Amino acid sequence: MDPYPTFQYGTNLSSDNRNKIQVRFGIYLKEGKTMCGIVGYLGKRQALPVIIKGLKRLEYRGYDSAGVALLNGGLEIVKKKGKVADLETEIGNRKLEASLGIGHTRWATHGEPNDRNAHPHTSSDGKLAIIHNGIIENYGSIKKELESNGHIFKSDTDSEVLIHLIEEIKKQNQCSIEEAVRLALNEVVGAYAIVVLSKDNERSMIAARKGSPLVIGIGEDEYFVASDATPIIEYTNNVTYLNDQEMAIIKDGSLVVKNLENVTKTPFIQKLELDLEDIEKGGYPHFMLKEIFEQPKSIKDAMRGRLVSREHHLFLSGIDQYLNRFLNADRLILVGCGTSWHAGLIGEYLFEDLARIPTEVEYASEFRYRNPIVTERDVVIAVSQSGETADTLAAIELAKSRGALIFGVCNVVGSSIARASHAGAYLHAGPEIGVASTKAFTSQVSILTMMALYLGLKKGSISLSDYQTLLLELDSIPDKVAKILTKDEEIRSISEHFYRASNFLYLGRGFNFPVALEGALKLKEISYIHAEGYPAAEMKHGPIALIDEDMPVVFIATKDSSYEKVISNIQEVKARKGKVIAVVTEGDTEIKGMADFTFEIPKTADALVPLLAVIPLQLLSYHIAILRGCNVDQPRNLAKSVTVE
């Protein structure tokens, strides 16, 4: 049995939500989701240091503005455009003593990033405060009704509308704050994770979620609320994850969980498998560089307990549960966004080559809207680092409503996609804090590779000898990645020649085409240089017009079945004075003689080259971004694993 748990049926979306999906292509299919960071604390400590430290750990989720609300007799609120460091400067030497407080770091959706749109937001009377991650879709109609009742709004956000609605319901119904929150949430459409404070309830806070993650940490006489576990692990490893349409009332030293129908639930308390050092930089200047260098370990962790190469065995219990459905599937459909889509594209090559199962790869954002043909004979594989990507979640709910089997491949235990899937496999890559995904990508590819090998063996589409050879080779990948990482300084020096470039072109064939796409995406994300990934054979069908002495062209040119064809493409670029950077197999002298610069990677099987070839491209992007003075961990306009429409 796989010692790393696979997904179980668990807490899928409610039948009510499924019905809405079927009726109008769905609330879930219309929801966007912000990636703001939420922190709340109630206990015996000073709340402000806990909240500020937590916000810094969540800043990868949003860094347009930040704010805190502290309750100690009065409700003290400080918020500021910019990063958490700007909020700290704004707080200055003020003595904000309180044992109850909430904090927020924002990625803007409704309303531009500025001080007044920063969270927390307050009610008209100033007695209630809210922090909110998500989008309230029907905020416009609610706002008009509230304005007709005399409410005046200070921001452009949907979040402020929600706290005014809670205030109005509390006033009209003469009810408790927790009842007002429950009634208000039954009126809103959209996604949310919220925490609410009330000036009249100094030892309580209320949290709730739908479509946005929220975790509650339980310590000794203290409670923590956060968007993920990173702000909590320093204080306790006992947590409970709220399910959709659940509320947590933390009051008088106790925790009560209810659903929106006011039915009390028994929270499932679990222990975090997370170390504090996992979310610290560990001496690296940036999380991105740390996570690039963690890949020998993260790839090995993806295989641990699953791949036993000396016995020539793979153990994938998530697939075993539904083996017949995989083997008899009409097709596999991989859905994902961004880097996860690139991993899925490699998966398509792997499943078709090794397992001979027809496979399609879909952008989740397109799949969910084009009324796709999906049947009960399809298997949908959802690929997502966070397990919270709104488009991917919506896509799998649509597919599930049509009878497809859902298999999740994601990193975060207890995430929404994990719970919505029938089965799956966790990456076990550890927290990925850098916004640009690195180690999650290679872990995703590792999982998909094992799945393709396993299904290929079970289906008889790969010989036992080839299967065993590929298992041994896969087992050697972490050591080969470590070897590439020793060339970091060499890659940095090459980066010095190209950091002033305005455009890049990345080219690859076969398994290396998705690597070209991923390399181009990494450069765009963190250095703000325009870059395109293309199949090398397609260069002559357009991109060749762009090539001149100012155009760097990155080739993934390892020795495989397309090697001679790629050499021809390189010669075509050189004939037009383009600058060639080539990722080549160790010992290659032919391409080395014609390229301007080369990165060597160890020899491996064609199907496994993406796991090695992507490493120098990650480092190239990182060093170019640093030379350009960019913030690689928090690139502008981006947040971690998020879609907003």
Side-chain angles (χ1 to χ4, degrees):
M1 181 177 177
D2 186 348
Y4 286 86
T6 51
F7 301 155
Q8 304 298 326
Y9 268 110
T11 313
N12 299 332
L13 290 175
S14 68
S15 58
D16 178 58
N17 272 342
R18 274 195 297 277
N19 290 337
K20 289 172 182 172
I21 287 170
Q22 293 164 345
V23 168
R24 66 178 188 100
F25 216 51
I27 282 179
Y28 253 91
L29 306 190
K30 289 177 176 273
E31 286 177 356
K33 187 188 295 184
T34 65
M35 196 65 177
C36 308
I38 282 175
V39 182
Y41 176 76
L42 191 163
K44 53 197 176 184
R45 307 172 196 264
Q46 285 296 316
L48 183 61
V50 174
I51 292 167
I52 292 294
K53 186 181 288 188
L55 290 179
K56 287 179 177 177
R57 288 180 177 154
L58 289 174
E59 201 163 21
Y60 71 91
R61 300 177 68 94
Y63 32 87
D64 291 336
S65 60
V68 296
L70 299 163
L71 187 56
N72 189 1
L75 193 58
E76 186 83 33
I77 293 178
V78 185
K79 51 187 185 176
K80 189 69 178 173
K81 176 185 175 182
K83 299 182 185 295
V84 177
D86 298 306
L87 174 63
E88 285 187 288
T89 300
E90 181 72 12
I91 292 171
N93 294 321
R94 283 190 249 183
K95 290 188 177 180
L96 301 177
E97 296 187 353
S99 58
L100 171 59
I102 55 178
H104 188 271
T105 179
R106 181 175 185 243
W107 190 70
T109 52
H110 290 90
E112 67 180 76
N114 56 31
D115 291 355
R116 70 189 185 90
N117 286 332
H119 295 220
H121 292 288
T122 57
S123 55
S124 294
D125 61 12
K127 290 185 176 182
L128 307 178
I130 192 171
I131 51 178
H132 169 223
N133 174 17
I135 293 177
I136 305 302
E137 295 174 12
N138 59 340
Y139 82 100
S141 58
I142 295 172
K143 186 175 184 178
K144 285 181 182 178
E145 184 176 345
L146 290 170
E147 285 175 331
S148 69
N149 288 337
H151 287 257
I152 298 173
F153 295 90
K154 302 175 184 176
S155 78
D156 305 313
T157 70
D158 56 332
S159 308
E160 187 186 11
V161 173
L162 179 54
I163 195 64
H164 279 246
L165 175 62
I166 293 168
E167 175 190 29
E168 181 70 12
I169 287 173
K170 186 175 185 297
K171 176 183 174 183
Q172 294 296 333
N173 292 276
Q174 294 294 301
C175 60
S176 66
I177 181 61
E178 50 261 37
E179 179 64 4
V181 170
R182 186 183 73 82
L183 293 172
L185 293 180
N186 275 300
E187 290 192 22
V188 301
V189 175
Y192 55 79
I194 63 168
V195 186
V196 175
L197 296 185
S198 169
K199 186 177 177 182
D200 296 332
N201 300 78
E202 289 198 3
R203 297 299 299 169
S204 72
M205 62 180 169
I206 301 162
R209 71 153 283 181
K210 177 190 170 190
S212 291
L214 212 56
V215 58
I216 299 171
I218 303 163
E220 287 190 24
D221 301 320
E222 59 183 352
Y223 292 88
F224 307 81
V225 179
S227 299
D228 65 40
T230 54
I232 294 173
I233 189 60
E234 182 174 347
Y235 309 102
T236 180
N237 62 357
N238 293 318
V239 300
T240 185
Y241 292 87
L242 284 187
N243 294 315
D244 270 357
Q245 298 181 310
E246 284 186 348
M247 294 172 50
I249 300 115
I250 301 168
K251 185 176 182 180
D252 299 326
S254 65
L255 168 66
V256 175
V257 176
K258 295 181 178 181
N259 63 20
L260 295 190
E261 284 72 49
N262 210 26
V263 176
T264 300
K265 300 288 186 176
T266 302
F268 173 66
I269 311 299
Q270 62 188 84
K271 288 195 177 293
L272 290 172
E273 294 183 5
L274 178 68
D275 295 322
L276 185 59
E277 64 185 38
D278 291 337
I279 57 174
E280 303 291 352
K281 289 181 182 174
Y284 288 90
H286 301 94
F287 281 110
M288 183 178 179
L289 188 63
K290 173 178 179 271
E291 288 157 8
I292 290 172
F293 272 81
E294 285 177 339
Q295 287 175 108
K297 179 180 183 297
S298 58
I299 294 171
K300 190 175 290 186
D301 285 344
M303 297 187 294
R304 180 175 290 125
R306 294 167 172 151
L307 170 60
V308 184
S309 61
R310 66 183 179 274
E311 297 178 10
H312 305 298
H313 281 310
L314 275 175
F315 300 94
L316 296 172
S317 57
I319 290 182
D320 275 341
Q321 295 175 65
Y322 298 96
L323 184 59
N324 286 334
R325 289 198 65 175
F326 273 94
L327 296 181
N328 296 307
D330 285 345
R331 60 181 174 161
L332 306 180
I333 304 172
L334 291 102
V335 294
C337 300
T339 287
S340 295
W341 186 86
H342 296 155
L345 189 56
I346 295 171
E348 178 185 29
Y349 285 57
L350 291 164
F351 286 120
E352 293 197 339
D353 183 50
L354 300 175
R356 307 305 296 157
I357 301 174
T359 305
E360 297 177 12
V361 185
E362 299 272 2
Y363 286 108
S365 54
E366 290 297 312
F367 180 83
R368 64 191 280 196
Y369 284 120
R370 64 175 179 78
N371 195 18
I373 299 170
V374 182
T375 76
E376 66 278 0
R377 291 184 58 83
D378 293 325
V379 175
V380 174
I381 301 173
V383 186
S384 167
Q385 187 281 139
S386 67
E388 299 292 345
T389 311
D391 282 325
T392 307
L393 184 61
I396 65 175
E397 286 300 330
L398 170 64
K400 191 195 295 187
S401 73
R402 297 181 182 182
L405 175 71
I406 310 300
F407 191 93
V409 176
C410 61
N411 194 32
V412 180
V413 176
S415 58
S416 296
I417 289 174
R419 290 197 304 273
S421 299
H422 295 111
Y426 285 116
L427 305 182
H428 302 299
E432 189 176 64
I433 307 298
V435 167
S437 182
T438 53
K439 66 177 182 176
F441 173 76
T442 49
S443 293
Q444 287 167 345
V445 174
S446 298
I447 295 290
L448 294 172
T449 303
M450 288 188 287
M451 290 174 63
L453 281 168
Y454 189 76
L455 291 172
L457 180 69
K458 295 293 185 182
K459 197 163 186 177
S461 56
I462 182 173
S463 70
L464 181 60
S465 61
D466 286 347
Y467 171 79
Q468 292 174 345
T469 299
L470 282 169
L471 284 191
L472 288 169
E473 189 57 36
L474 183 58
D475 194 43
S476 73
I477 290 294
D479 290 338
K480 291 180 177 180
V481 170
K483 186 176 182 181
I484 298 169
L485 291 170
T486 64
K487 305 291 182 64
D488 177 50
E489 185 58 33
E490 178 185 327
I491 295 170
R492 189 199 65 78
S493 65
I494 293 173
S495 303
E496 293 176 354
H497 295 270
F498 296 104
Y499 74 94
R500 292 186 180 92
S502 300
N503 300 280
F504 266 74
L505 186 61
Y506 287 72
L507 301 173
R509 287 179 180 245
F511 286 103
N512 290 328
F513 164 51
V515 178
L517 293 174
E518 177 61 12
L521 177 61
K522 284 290 141 307
L523 191 70
K524 281 184 280 195
E525 284 180 314
I526 63 171
S527 73
Y528 319 139
I529 295 174
H530 172 256
E532 283 195 62
Y534 244 84
E538 291 293 302
M539 181 183 68
K540 293 190 290 291
H541 296 275
I544 197 168
L546 300 171
I547 294 172
D548 58 20
E549 62 272 16
D550 296 321
M551 172 68 85
V553 183
V554 179
F555 280 91
I556 299 93
T558 53
K559 286 194 172 179
D560 57 19
S561 58
S562 302
Y563 181 71
E564 296 299 331
K565 300 288 187 183
V566 173
I567 285 179
S568 297
N569 296 138
I570 292 173
Q571 289 170 334
E572 290 163 350
V573 170
K574 293 302 293 180
R576 290 156 179 82
K577 299 182 179 180
K579 303 297 183 186
V580 172
I581 307 164
V583 178
V584 300
T585 306
E586 273 181 345
D588 186 320
T589 56
E590 187 170 1
I591 292 179
K592 207 165 189 177
M594 64 180 73
D596 295 277
F597 300 96
T598 56
F599 304 136
E600 290 191 353
I601 63 172
K603 181 175 177 56
T604 190
D606 290 358
L608 305 183
V609 167
L611 290 165
L612 302 182
V614 75
I615 306 299
L617 303 187
Q618 293 172 347
L619 288 169
L620 179 70
S621 299
Y622 171 81
H623 289 300
I624 286 175
I626 294 299
L627 289 166
R628 289 169 67 88
C630 301
N631 186 337
V632 296
D633 284 340
Q634 298 171 356
R636 69 187 182 203
N637 301 332
L638 295 178
K640 188 77 174 166
S641 303
V642 59
T643 61
V644 178
E645 299 187 273

